[in-house]
Amino acid sequence: MNLWSAKRWGARVRKRGEETWVDLKQPYALVGSDPRCDIQIGDSKLPPVVYFVVACGDRIEVWPTCPLAYPIWGRVSKNHVLMVGRSRIQFFFKDERDIDLGQEADLDDDSADVTQDSVLSLALQGGSVSEGQDAANPVEQSLPSATLILDWGRGPRYKSLNRNVSIIGEDHPSLIRLHNADLERCDQGIVCFGESVWLVELHPSRLSPNQPTIRRVCPGDESVLVGGIHLWVEGTNSLDLDKLKKSATSAGDSPATASVGATSPRGDAMNGGLIRRHDHAADVPRPQRRLTVGESQSEDDPECLTVTLTDRVLEAGVRKSLRRRVLKTAAIATLLILAVLLVVAILFMGMLPTIRAIYGY
């Protein structure tokens, strides 16, 4: 299977004074206690998967898959240290590994950069260009242009992917949250470049030993069953909902066609960034249009609130980090000014008797 392009990378794992380097062969990694994790942490108290890590071109993104006390979100550099149990983990591209690995890295408890890069270079050394991608124009291909079509018994709904890396699940810290759909808290990692979409299983124990943890879903393919959700991918060309095929297999299984079609005619409604097409057979036909996430009119809907809340949490993390740096700079400047004033006062008090003796007062 061809995956997305990324520079060669790895991770430094430090535990109890011991340090190991892990070469990562694929552009994604799972961190946790599960035996199938790419970076396995031998701690029975840890969840099976703690972090989902993706190398995207020339950047690395980390996303927690369970509630953590001080998680790091989004893009990271080699100075970011992930605390997983008693282990400290840092991710490096191999051309950055010339740093002194014996030097203690600073623990960065600030939020990582969660902004989406507008430009990525996908034609990098050590990477392989995915099928359908134009290596001559990597910038355009790097931007996500796919849309998820989701159906869990309420009719197909649409969710545009606005990040290269997302997580679909039931609850925080998933980025796309769907309730009452038989999902785990963080069920599947989603990686999207252009129209290419990959699903990464975040619960490897559900797979058989010979099943890979990643699966590619192309526009027009039959659905992938994620929990109780049938998931399709739509590219720049719209798909006919009546011709969509439902699969009887889950995300980790091999494709198998089921002769069930999505029969819901197209209508419009918004629910938390997911567009639902209602059956309007008894209604007067109305013009068809594709709504966007920004056009949501259902702010009281639980799904809308959870998706919005995640974005607000990420933005709040960036603002909090900026405020912390501003306050730190202001405090240092204030202390410096006070120190200068104190030195001036001491010098003046020491010279005051001499001045009085000279001028006689």
Side-chain angles (χ1 to χ4, degrees), residues 111-115 313-323:
S111 297
D113 180 11
V114 297
T115 58
V313 168
L314 297 178
E315 293 173 359
V318 175
R319 290 196 299 268
K320 181 179 178 181
S321 177
L322 179 61
R323 286 197 301 268

Side-chain angles (χ1 to χ4, degrees), residues 140-159:
E140 181 180 354
Q141 294 295 335
S142 68
L143 302 177
S145 59
T147 299
L148 300 183
I149 304 178
L150 308 170
D151 186 0
W152 62 100
R154 303 179 183 180
R157 305 188 185 188
Y158 287 69
K159 177 68 177 74

